[in-house]
Amino acid sequence: MSGGFTFHRPTAVPAFGPAFGIAMLGTGLLVLLPLAALLLRAAGQSFDSFVDAAFSPRAMAAYRLSFGASLLAAGVNAVVGTVLAWVLVRYRFPFRRIVDALIDLPFALPTAVAGVALTTIAAPDGILGRIAEPFGIKLAFTPFGVFLALLFIGLPFVVRTLQPVLQDLEPELEEAAALLGAGRASTFLRVVLPAIAPAAATGFALAFARSVGEYGSVIFIAGNMPMVSEIAPLLIVVQLEQFQYGAATAIATVLLGASLAVLLVCVVLQRRLERDRVA
Amino acid sequence: MAIRIEGAVKRYGPKVAAIDGVTLETRPGELLALLGPSGSGKTTLLRAIAGLEFLDAGRILIDGDDATALTARERRIGFVFQNYALFRHLSVFENVAFGLRARPRRLRLTEAEIRDRVLPLLRTVQMEEYAERKPAALSGGQRQRVALARALAIEPRLLLLDEPFGALDAKVRRELRRWLRELHDRLGLSTVFVTHDQEEALELADRVAILNQGRLEQLGTPHEVYDSPATPFVAEFLGDALRVPPRLRRALVPDRPHGGLAMVRPHDIELLPPGGPGVPAIVRRTASRGGALLVELELEDGNRIEAEIARGDAHEAEGRIAPGTRVGLRARIAHLFDDAP
């Protein structure tokens, strides 16, 4: 093959064949096949019934809530998580390891447990609920409750994405900034943040993706009022329970498309940040 | 601008002292080298001067004022890190301008004033045409010059350099060394640099402070520390030195035949004709070491020592240093120390 397309350039790393085969098989069976089945199922109905189910007022309200609350929660988590990761990496304080371990709790906790726990504190007679009540804010059984649950489950994604990056960030950079007269806040904004922005974007994307699909921890606290506090994944379940398979797959298809679009934007954004950082 | 360090102690853990009671003072406008092997505390001392490490005991005085409690931010000291620590996301220009932009609001400069400060500095370090480049696009030597310009931009009272030539290859190193010395003479800024390379310290510095295990062994001009080492450590660290065994003492160092420890540098060993005074030995091997000739000599007891003679002398001594010839050894100069540690 002179100058033509070569599928696999020879390298010193052995076992390209088997490794590539397993990787492709895994991707195909575990990722592409279910998605293809979903799209096929969704396509099995008439266009009108697809549009009716996918863009009914109830479905639109559910999308708005799911994507809106997820974006908001991921955004807040990107900020809070970044600061938290910085504190955990840069400072030494009592119980640091315990705090560090607690970060993983939302990962490890069964989502239903998280949901019950969050509902308990957010309910009108719970700790948080009682604090919010005088301000006229109802936490549980409202869109705000959904946001709260998503905040909880998204945090570790940001922290765990940023920690290794911050660990690799030479402390000399922060020392140099201090020697040049920059304060703590200014050092963080002008030196640390630009260096970790790509990782923060990744953390945001992961938290967002997880939030859109989150079900277990949300349904307890949300109250699930159609048009008000009903998330899109729940609407899919509702449709399935009523044997409306077409409608369920239609909603699922929209959810899939929108999630892919958001992830794509995140990847592009992250690439751009990465490029600005070095070149 | 002079700095005085008094009884500085910095411990890492109860038993490990990185610096263990160092007192030294710099002179205004001088270029001082902190020289020592790794683990001697030289970098810790430099970081303590900068305010990046806090001392467990002792004081740091800047121009007579106690600066021990000042933070790095308040000390106005220029620091060039070994890895340069340039801000990767900022251009060369913005790296140098960083310190000017970080000023408190009431001292802040206009954009034009910043340009007027940064561009001459970039000219000084010969980086003017690279102003818009990012650090990733620069060579090691260029990065270092940018780091230097960045440190100078805040008009520091003192300049500190941590292993300034450590990460560069030999040729760039030598060029930069000369350039740095010229720059120092032009700016007249008090400068302290850390190095583990004795040649670099002796060649570049006005005075050299030699550290070992967190203690100051000697502080003096390059000639002083090389010609009259205060301790056996200094003698051995600044070039080779042979500890003269007692049984050879009388023959090798006839003018000071006993007491304490005598040390002799290889180039201070004289080769005499055999049969006369001096320690009898046989030449085993010769090797070229740049401008000098290394002569490996076997003593009568089978031990080997090395002598070094200048190339010019080597020609004269040609017949006397061929392998297998017998010679007598005598020390031209010996360094004497009270106690053998």
Side-chain angles (χ1 to χ4, degrees):
Chain A
M1 282 208 284
S2 54
F5 170 78
T6 354
F7 184 65
H8 165 55
R9 231 178 297 164
T11 75
V13 184
F16 171 77
F20 183 76
I22 291 169
M24 288 303 110
L25 190 71
T27 316
L29 280 180
L30 297 176
V31 182
L32 293 181
L33 192 65
L35 290 183
L38 168 69
L39 292 180
L40 219 64
R41 186 77 202 239
Q45 56 193 311
S46 77
F47 183 73
D48 284 347
S49 67
F50 179 90
V51 170
D52 280 350
F55 301 109
S56 68
R58 188 176 171 188
M60 292 304 282
Y63 301 143
R64 264 197 300 278
L65 178 62
S66 270
F67 286 103
S70 295
L71 276 175
L72 204 63
V76 172
N77 272 332
V79 176
V80 176
T82 302
V83 176
L84 192 53
W86 192 48
V87 168
L88 285 173
V89 170
R90 276 294 175 265
Y91 299 100
R92 291 291 166 270
F93 51 90
F95 308 115
R96 188 182 65 90
R97 281 174 182 287
I98 295 175
V99 174
D100 192 59
L102 282 176
I103 303 281
D104 280 330
L105 211 57
F107 268 150
L109 220 54
T111 52
V113 177
V116 172
L118 283 170
T119 311
T120 312
I121 61 161
D125 57 343
I127 300 169
L128 278 184
R130 246 179 302 179
I131 296 171
E133 186 122 62
F135 301 99
I137 302 167
K138 281 192 69 182
L139 296 181
F141 318 123
T142 64
F144 202 89
V146 176
F147 168 73
L148 205 65
L150 297 182
L151 210 55
F152 176 77
I153 55 125
L155 187 65
F157 289 90
V158 179
V159 177
R160 292 293 180 237
T161 314
L162 278 166
Q163 258 178 332
V165 180
L166 279 166
Q167 222 125 37
D168 284 347
L169 196 69
E170 308 138 87
E172 284 92 345
L173 290 176
E174 288 160 62
E175 290 175 349
L179 285 159
L180 292 169
R184 265 305 186 192
S186 161
T187 300
F188 185 78
L189 288 176
R190 297 181 55 205
V191 175
V192 178
L193 202 57
I196 61 170
T202 305
F204 173 86
L206 289 172
F208 172 79
R210 168 71 192 261
S211 294
V212 169
E214 182 60 18
Y215 177 78
S217 60
V218 178
I219 51 165
F220 297 98
I221 200 171
N224 309 325
M225 293 235 310
M227 304 298 293
V228 178
S229 62
E230 183 180 51
I231 55 169
L234 179 73
L235 188 56
I236 295 173
V237 175
V238 169
Q239 299 291 359
L240 286 177
E241 280 172 347
Q242 294 168 2
F243 305 105
Q244 302 286 339
Y245 295 122
T249 51
I251 296 166
T253 307
V254 173
L255 215 52
L256 175 69
S259 296
L260 282 178
V262 171
L263 280 181
L264 198 69
V265 170
C266 283
V267 168
V268 171
L269 182 74
Q270 190 204 347
R271 284 266 170 83
R272 184 154 307 162
L273 288 169
E274 190 86 46
R275 207 175 41 226
D276 285 352
R277 200 167 59 123
V278 280
Chain B
M1 161 65 236
I3 197 146
R4 184 174 164 75
I5 299 153
E6 280 176 5
V9 176
K10 173 75 191 177
R11 275 181 232 286
Y12 295 120
K15 282 192 180 158
V16 202
I19 19 182
D20 193 7
V22 172
T23 296
L24 67 86
E25 189 165 3
T26 71
R27 295 176 185 153
E30 84 170 338
L31 183 53
L32 177 79
L34 295 180
L35 174 68
S38 53
S40 60
K42 54 191 190 304
T43 295
T44 308
L45 188 59
L46 194 77
R47 289 172 57 84
I49 298 172
L52 298 173
E53 304 277 355
F54 289 94
L55 295 176
D56 294 316
R59 297 200 301 164
I60 290 172
L61 302 156
I62 300 178
D63 277 338
D65 298 328
D66 195 333
T68 318
L70 293 185
T71 63
R73 202 184 158 195
E74 295 160 334
R75 288 191 194 191
R76 204 156 61 80
I77 285 176
F79 197 103
V80 176
F81 288 89
Q82 192 176 0
N83 62 6
Y84 318 133
L86 294 178
F87 305 126
R88 264 169 297 209
H89 62 288
L90 297 178
S91 66
V92 166
F93 182 95
E94 285 303 323
N95 263 283
V96 177
F98 188 93
L100 302 175
R101 294 196 196 283
R103 288 180 167 198
R105 206 166 288 279
R106 63 199 158 75
L107 295 174
R108 204 151 290 173
L109 303 171
T110 65
E111 210 52 37
E113 285 170 321
I114 288 176
R115 283 189 78 79
D116 287 347
R117 293 277 286 276
V118 172
L119 291 178
L121 273 170
L122 287 180
R123 214 169 299 140
T124 304
V125 299
Q126 300 154 17
M127 288 299 290
E128 208 181 6
E129 59 208 276
Y130 299 95
E132 295 313 313
R133 296 266 189 99
K134 291 273 172 77
L138 304 178
S139 73
Q142 290 171 331
R143 281 180 208 182
Q144 188 186 41
R145 299 209 299 269
V146 175
L148 192 61
R150 183 178 70 177
L152 292 174
I154 59 165
E155 294 176 330
R157 301 190 280 179
L158 176 75
L159 184 63
L160 304 177
L161 311 167
D162 188 7
E163 296 272 1
F165 313 105
L168 303 169
D169 62 63
K171 188 165 169 288
V172 180
R173 225 177 146 110
R174 265 196 302 279
E175 283 170 14
L176 213 57
R177 220 190 265 178
R178 203 176 314 124
W179 178 81
L180 189 73
R181 180 69 229 193
E182 283 167 16
L183 185 73
H184 174 264
D185 293 344
R186 201 147 33 111
L187 298 176
L189 182 63
S190 302
T191 305
V192 179
F193 75 99
V194 155
T195 180
H196 62 267
D197 182 341
Q198 72 278 11
E199 200 185 301
E200 197 167 280
L202 296 176
E203 187 188 314
L204 197 59
D206 293 319
R207 290 197 303 159
V208 181
I210 296 136
L211 292 163
N212 180 35
Q213 295 181 347
R215 290 175 175 278
L216 181 67
E217 297 267 336
Q218 191 174 5
L219 172 63
T221 66
H223 287 301
E224 283 165 8
V225 294
Y226 191 82
D227 294 338
S228 352
T231 64
F233 174 83
V234 173
E236 280 174 331
F237 193 69
L238 298 175
D240 295 332
L242 169 76
R243 286 170 185 250
V244 179
R247 63 204 148 71
L248 301 180
R249 181 70 178 269
R250 181 177 293 277
L252 197 65
V253 194
D255 46 336
R256 293 290 294 278
H258 24 238
L261 167 72
M263 295 178 87
V264 177
R265 296 202 187 281
H267 57 75
D268 289 329
I269 293 178
E270 219 175 345
L271 303 189
L272 305 171
V279 179
I282 300 171
V283 175
R284 279 299 172 215
R285 200 173 71 90
T286 62
S288 161
R289 189 189 269 174
L293 201 67
L294 190 74
V295 185
E296 203 176 300
L297 299 144
E298 190 180 309
L299 304 174
E300 282 179 326
D301 58 8
N303 283 324
R304 292 193 174 202
I305 64 168
E306 283 177 355
E308 210 178 87
I309 56 180
R311 270 283 173 75
D313 293 351
H315 285 295
E316 291 166 32
E318 202 70 70
R320 241 187 287 150
I321 58 162
T325 16
R326 293 185 172 277
V327 292
L329 306 178
R330 192 173 59 187
R332 224 176 277 131
I333 301 165
H335 304 291
L336 295 145
F337 304 98
D338 289 342
D339 283 300

